[in-house]
Amino acid sequence: MNIPAIEDTEQDPSRQELLSFHVGLQEYSIDIISVREIRSWTEATPLPHAPPYVRGVINLRGTVLPIIDLAKRLAIPAGEKTDRNVIVVVQSGDNTVGLLVDAVSDIFTVSDSELQAPPDMSSDGSLKCVRALTIYEDRMLRVLDLAAVLPQPDSEAA
Amino acid sequence: MADIDPMAEIRASFFIECEELLESLQDGLTAMDDGDFDSETINVCFRAVHSIKGGAGAFGLEALVRFAHRFETVMDEIRNGRLEPTRDTISLFFRGADVLFDLVRASRDDESLDDATVELILVDLEALVGARLAEEEAEEAEGADFTPMSLSLDPIDGDDHSGFALMDLDAPLDDPAIPPTSSAPAGFKIAFHPAAELFASGNEPRHMLAALRDFGEPHITCDLSNLPDLTGLVPEQGVVGWHITLETSARKEEIAEVFEFVDGLCELSIEATGSAPALPDLESIDLENIVIPGPRPDDDTPPQDATPEPAPATPPSASSPPAPAKSKDKSTGSAKATVRVDLDRIERLVNLVGELVINQAMLSQSITEAGVPTNSAVGSGLEEFLQLTRDIQESVMMIRAQPVKSLFQRMSRIIRESSAMVGKSVRFVTEGEQTEIDKTVLERLADPLTHMVRNAVDHGLENTDGRLAAGKSADGIVTLTAAHKSGRVVLEVKDDGSGINRERVKQIAEDKGLIPPGVQMQDQEIDNLLFLPGFSTATEVSDLSGRGVGMDVVRSAIQALGGRVTITSEPGSGTTFSISLPLTLAVLDGMVVETGGETLVVPLGSIAETLTLTAADIEQLGADTTLVRIREEFVPILDLAVELGFRTPLEGYEGRSVLLITSEDNSRTALVVDRIVEQRQVVIKGLQESYGRVAGIAAATILGNGRIALILDPTDLIASAGSSGPHSAQPFAIAG
């Protein structure tokens, strides 16, 4: 259904398609270009000495995929664990990780002019992960900065 | 990987070929260094440089062409027997080969090399020839008036100081069966008219004409008599021919060999000229057994009547090496047939086979869970499947395996350079060059090995005076060996120096605060101090040390490959560093264990033994430390689940399983787990690329149930437990 929209974004670089999902009671979104696939929740193997938001690793068709619990990463209360919980497999640069979210909700298109910068609240570390805010069907949507969400291999090593 | 420029591809394969050629050049030089001056050996070297030059020319790599050309010219002097291959000459050639290697690399990576170094070596090289040529010119002038009465029969040692020897340049050196008399300038008249098929089959007349130059200076005239009018010209039709007069001592077969590949694709006639009247009809005579003895009547050189030797020469044996011209065309005659495959494709195959192994394990598990008896048809079929999977896996691993030879050759260069730098004379001995290791391992070994080899030269060996005083030969010996031992590859770097000065090592470690002063230590423990970060024994900083890289880096590089380094040292007779490596980075023999609700894999190689704890074995020491008594020894207990943060410490460890881990420094630790599940091969999946390094964890694998299990790095785990955990006071952490 979204084929025209995709063409739109290709023709008009100022328009982008976003995938939105629920984390706890809030709604977040990411650029759909970075989404590789969406899969159902499988139990992850925990990693020792990992930060709390790293749930562990799962087997994604033979590769090791780290899973980030987005609720923990953003330091917001997670919603109830249901079987609608999904892993959004995203790629940012050379990194591929799975984001654990409560449920995927929508795909929509916005133009750059519809995005506004988040308020500067540097005291709240989780805000660094939010790149922009936008309004869609009268709801506030937070657009994530993927690179900021992903663990940096070097700094996380310890 | 979108559009691959076909030229880039050809260029890439040229550089791969260069590596092979450089390798054979090294081989040849090494053989010459060992006293093998067989003409074929010399030819191999010459051909390697020549082929590199040829290829480089095609790609317009000028710096490479220029160097290769001049290098080749000097080599040609040896080939022609004009230059004596002394040890100095060969060592200069080695340096030349090194520069050639650098130039190839630089051309490949589009970098430029310091012209000065290149020029320096060329000057040295050409000084050899220059001296030679000057000498020869002088001799020639001197020798113009007399006729030498005899000639050296040995073509290699043919450093014959006669004017005549100069005329003999183009005699094929590799056939000593030809008596020198035959070199009296006979010749051939060759008519060569390529047919259309010759061009259609991709042959190039130019190369053949050029190949004739190996026999003598050809006078080539183009025969355009068949040239039609422009209107009648069929471009595919061969219309041009050549008449060649060649002054040579070579036999007719040798000339004919040049045209061997185009037999039937051209009109060819080879007629002998200037031969002795005694042999009027060369065509009808068995040339195998007869060599043309006569001088050309119209030759400038005085005829060599002194040695007429009518030539019932020994027939060239069938096994004699091929004439240079021929072998030049077929650069690798008898080499095994090989296929060049892109590494990515192999990588993909390896991954797929990895998947197959996992899949097979999952299938076995679900069949077992379904309650199918093992003696059923399905069970035995599965058994065969298992066997097949293993075989496939092994074969695939073999594809990636490569002999360590190329690595050893690089080390020989390191030895040359570093020995020159510290002014020690070093003999480099290698053993087991054909031992094969996974290509990835091989590549990643280069740096640590370089460092160890340098160390052996710099720190291991005494200087010449020291050696002589100790009653040793002046030349230090560094030995590099490779061998397969019980499923692993063991590399050894051995020097015959004075061994580790343990007093000094300990003193330095104390001075640098690496160990508390006055501690009693065993020899082995002192040796292991070398691996401590921040340790360097060089009191005076030589050119080689002070690079900021210590043995600790070497050790961690080896450990990253799943390997271990150990030192053995004998005062007065030398030090040996052994590197033990897994055959491949892709599979691992592991023990699957469960602890704290998680499944983990412990590399089998690190486990000395396993046992189950009884209450009698367990002893408390102080508040936090639990020891287990194993025979007469007390070993500290480390709870794996606690260490990895899976649970809090248990009240008692009775009934748990223990894996006894022996570290490199021979200290032992008892790793406690809940249960040992099984022993099996697991496919290693990197964790580092997707997540980053995790302390105590080497990698991950996928189990039969499709879940990921972590593979432990016990040494790292124990070391980090020692430094950060509650057991930090334990001595086992010293060299961990």
Side-chain angles (χ1 to χ4, degrees):
Chain A
M1 293 301 114
N2 283 303
I3 292 165
I6 290 170
E7 279 174 0
D8 272 0
T9 50
E10 278 178 1
Q11 280 158 11
D12 182 357
S14 73
R15 293 182 70 77
Q16 50 182 293
E17 260 195 304
L18 299 173
L19 172 80
S20 72
F21 41 78
H22 291 279
V23 182
L25 297 173
Q26 302 182 4
E27 203 170 358
Y28 284 87
S29 64
I30 48 172
D31 191 339
I32 206 159
I33 304 291
S34 56
V35 177
R36 288 281 155 272
E37 63 180 286
I38 297 168
R39 49 184 296 133
S40 57
W41 168 245
T42 32
E43 199 56 48
T45 302
L47 289 172
H49 316 299
Y53 60 82
V54 175
R55 282 295 280 261
V57 284
I58 63 162
N59 167 18
L60 178 71
R61 287 184 304 278
T63 58
V64 179
L65 184 76
I67 302 297
I68 291 172
D69 186 332
L70 208 50
K72 286 220 173 78
R73 179 70 179 126
L74 300 169
I76 53 176
E80 215 177 307
K81 291 286 165 237
T82 70
D83 51 5
R84 283 197 65 201
N85 284 4
V86 290
I87 294 168
V88 182
V89 181
V90 296
Q91 188 168 14
S92 162
D94 288 339
N95 283 349
T96 306
V97 301
L99 301 176
L100 174 62
V101 303
D102 290 351
V104 169
S105 55
D106 224 335
I107 296 173
F108 59 96
T109 310
V110 293
S111 67
D112 282 355
S113 58
E114 291 170 82
L115 296 174
Q116 41 181 291
D120 183 21
M121 290 175 65
S122 46
S123 60
D124 186 351
S126 67
L127 269 184
K128 281 184 198 146
C129 300
V130 177
R131 176 162 62 94
L133 302 176
T134 187
I135 296 166
Y136 177 67
E137 288 178 356
D138 222 21
R139 311 193 303 263
M140 184 180 83
L141 271 172
R142 302 139 188 95
V143 184
L144 285 177
D145 179 0
L146 259 192
V149 171
L150 304 195
Q152 304 306 307
D154 289 331
S155 60
E156 299 294 343
Chain B
M1 296 288 277
D3 295 311
I4 299 165
D5 177 10
M7 201 57 191
E9 222 172 294
I10 299 169
R11 199 180 131 109
S13 76
F14 161 67
F15 285 115
I16 296 172
E17 222 167 84
C18 276
E19 305 268 310
E20 285 166 14
L21 290 166
L22 285 166
E23 196 172 299
S24 56
L25 173 61
Q26 285 281 349
D27 273 351
L29 290 177
T30 310
M32 281 163 78
D33 201 27
D34 293 342
D36 171 12
F37 298 122
D38 188 75
S39 58
E40 188 51 23
T41 313
I42 299 168
N43 269 328
V44 162
C45 297
F46 180 79
R47 230 178 282 142
V49 179
H50 185 77
S51 306
I52 291 174
K53 181 180 95 171
F59 292 101
L61 305 167
E62 276 173 35
L64 190 53
V65 174
R66 221 176 310 127
F67 182 80
H69 176 71
R70 288 163 77 178
F71 191 18
E72 176 194 65
T73 313
V74 180
M75 277 200 158
D76 203 29
E77 296 292 297
I78 293 241
R79 203 162 78 116
N80 290 332
R82 273 193 288 193
L83 185 66
E84 184 112 30
T86 61
R87 211 173 154 181
D88 286 345
T89 312
I90 290 168
S91 91
L92 199 54
F93 278 7
F94 267 120
R95 280 172 55 204
D98 292 346
V99 172
L100 191 62
F101 179 89
D102 289 343
L103 276 168
V104 167
R105 282 283 159 100
S107 311
R108 187 189 63 186
D109 304 337
D110 278 330
E111 287 164 0
S112 62
L113 212 62
D114 182 17
D115 279 344
T117 35
V118 177
E119 202 51 44
L120 204 67
I121 185 93
L122 277 174
V123 166
D124 281 355
L125 276 170
E126 282 170 352
L128 282 177
V129 190
R132 238 349 276 160
L133 288 179
E135 211 175 302
E136 266 160 10
E137 269 161 32
E139 272 163 19
E140 202 172 7
E142 215 176 90
D145 292 339
F146 71 91
T147 311
M149 296 305 284
S150 66
L151 292 168
S152 164
L153 274 170
D154 183 350
I156 304 308
D157 197 17
D159 195 17
D160 199 303
H161 296 257
S162 68
F164 178 69
L166 281 172
M167 294 305 297
D168 195 17
L169 290 184
D170 297 306
L173 290 163
D174 53 348
D175 199 341
I178 301 173
T181 41
S182 69
S183 61
F188 294 96
K189 220 174 212 152
I190 304 161
F192 175 45
H193 288 92
E197 293 81 25
L198 183 140
F199 298 103
S201 56
N203 283 294
E204 170 60 63
R206 199 159 61 92
H207 293 159
M208 294 162 208
L209 297 177
L212 287 176
R213 215 173 283 155
D214 287 348
F215 300 103
E217 196 50 51
H219 301 284
I220 304 170
T221 47
C222 189
D223 176 8
L224 298 172
S225 56
N226 292 339
L227 203 64
D229 286 341
L230 200 54
T231 46
L233 183 74
V234 183
E236 288 80 22
Q237 200 66 46
V239 289
V240 183
W242 290 274
H243 292 287
I244 305 124
T245 339
L246 182 64
E247 208 169 86
T248 180
S249 59
R251 287 171 296 124
K252 189 179 170 186
E253 288 95 325
E254 292 178 276
I255 306 290
E257 257 173 16
V258 172
F259 298 98
E260 191 183 356
F261 293 112
V262 294
D263 191 26
L265 302 177
C266 62
E267 277 174 49
L268 179 71
S269 78
I270 305 174
E271 279 171 42
T273 56
S275 50
L279 297 165
D281 187 4
L282 269 170
E283 298 290 344
S284 65
I285 290 171
D286 182 5
L287 280 159
E288 284 287 310
N289 295 315
I290 297 226
V291 181
I292 312 141
R296 260 171 59 139
D298 56 344
D299 200 275
D300 309 333
T301 329
Q304 309 298 310
D305 351 12
T307 47
E309 278 180 36
T314 1
S317 69
S319 64
S320 74
K326 186 186 171 190
S327 39
K328 215 161 161 180
D329 288 340
K330 304 191 288 179
S331 56
T332 46
S334 61
K336 271 192 255 172
T338 53
V339 180
R340 248 181 229 140
V341 184
D342 194 38
L343 201 58
D344 284 346
R345 290 196 194 176
I346 296 177
E347 212 65 35
R348 212 175 110 73
L349 188 60
V350 169
N351 283 338
L352 281 174
V353 172
E355 294 301 293
L356 183 66
V357 172
I358 292 163
N359 206 275
Q360 186 268 333
M362 286 163 80
L363 188 61
S364 307
Q365 188 160 339
S366 43
I367 285 174
T368 317
E369 277 166 10
V372 179
T374 42
N375 56 4
S376 67
V378 172
S380 59
L382 198 65
E383 195 61 39
E384 274 170 44
F385 182 34
L386 183 92
Q387 194 53 48
L388 277 175
T389 321
R390 285 253 166 90
D391 289 354
I392 293 174
Q393 195 174 28
E394 262 169 41
S395 319
V396 169
M397 294 308 161
M398 288 304 294
I399 300 180
R400 283 160 53 105
Q402 289 203 322
V404 293
K405 191 171 166 188
S406 59
L407 182 67
F408 278 20
Q409 289 192 338
R410 281 173 74 177
M411 291 311 125
S412 110
R413 174 178 184 177
I414 302 293
I415 295 263
R416 282 197 299 280
E417 289 176 350
S418 50
S419 58
M421 213 178 280
V422 295
K424 292 176 186 173
S425 152
V426 180
R427 205 152 64 81
F428 183 50
V429 182
T430 57
E431 281 165 34
E433 284 191 331
Q434 295 306 323
T435 311
E436 293 189 332
I437 319 185
D438 188 290
K439 188 174 163 60
T440 325
V441 181
L442 202 62
E443 280 163 2
R444 286 164 63 184
L445 263 180
D447 285 345
L449 210 56
T450 301
H451 192 77
M452 291 166 82
V453 162
R454 268 194 194 127
N455 262 359
V457 174
D458 196 13
H459 305 307
L461 295 175
E462 313 95 326
N463 55 29
T464 313
D465 293 345
R467 289 188 65 86
L468 292 174
K472 296 179 186 175
S473 64
D475 288 359
I477 300 171
V478 174
T479 315
L480 190 56
T481 56
H484 284 285
K485 273 180 198 160
S486 57
R488 292 176 80 86
V489 179
V490 179
L491 293 172
E492 282 186 356
V493 181
K494 192 161 95 188
D495 64 64
D496 71 338
S498 57
I500 293 176
N501 184 342
R502 299 203 169 99
E503 295 268 299
R504 208 170 116 226
V505 166
K506 200 174 165 205
Q507 189 57 49
I508 289 168
E510 284 178 12
D511 291 351
K512 298 200 171 184
L514 298 169
I515 51 164
V519 185
Q520 281 299 313
M521 291 179 95
Q522 288 175 354
D523 289 353
Q524 188 74 43
E525 289 176 304
I526 296 175
D527 293 349
N528 278 322
L529 290 175
L530 294 179
F531 290 121
L532 285 183
F535 188 94
S536 168
T537 49
T539 35
E540 57 217 89
V541 175
S542 65
D543 281 345
L544 288 179
S545 47
R547 284 163 197 275
V549 186
M551 286 303 288
D552 57 318
V553 178
V554 170
R555 178 148 89 164
S556 45
I558 301 289
Q559 281 175 344
L561 294 171
R564 291 186 291 267
V565 201
T566 47
I567 314 177
T568 44
S569 182
E570 196 66 45
S573 56
T575 309
T576 305
F577 284 90
S578 305
I579 305 172
S580 156
L581 289 163
L583 281 181
T584 162
L585 292 180
V587 253
L588 173 101
D589 277 309
M591 193 170 281
V592 182
V593 299
E594 273 178 14
T595 193
E598 295 297 330
T599 307
L600 291 147
V601 179
V602 186
L604 211 53
S606 60
I607 302 173
E609 59 182 287
T610 61
L611 48 131
T612 306
L613 290 176
T614 62
D617 297 332
I618 305 169
E619 302 285 351
Q620 280 292 324
L621 177 67
D624 301 318
T625 307
T626 312
L627 298 179
V628 57
R629 180 176 172 174
I630 296 167
R631 288 177 289 275
E632 295 311 307
E633 196 186 346
F634 292 101
V635 178
I637 277 182
L638 194 66
D639 186 336
L640 183 59
V642 173
E643 206 47 59
L644 297 178
F646 294 157
R647 68 163 178 230
T648 50
L650 295 175
E651 286 298 314
Y653 289 102
E654 208 182 322
R656 309 277 162 176
S657 296
V658 156
L659 312 175
L660 197 62
I661 308 287
T662 307
S663 299
E664 265 82 38
D665 56 356
N666 282 328
S667 71
R668 310 220 280 178
T669 308
L671 211 55
V672 177
V673 298
D674 290 354
R675 195 167 77 86
I676 291 170
V677 183
E678 59 173 340
Q679 193 177 314
R680 54 170 288 186
Q681 250 191 3
V682 295
V683 178
I684 299 174
K685 297 279 175 187
L687 196 57
Q688 215 136 341
E689 306 83 61
S690 61
Y691 176 71
R693 217 185 82 85
V694 180
I697 303 297
T701 188
I702 297 166
L703 293 177
N705 59 11
R707 281 201 58 184
I708 289 183
L710 300 177
I711 301 173
L712 221 58
D713 179 347
T715 319
D716 190 40
L717 180 91
I718 291 164
S720 58
S723 60
S724 64
H727 314 287
S728 52
Q730 288 304 311
F732 63 72
I734 273 188

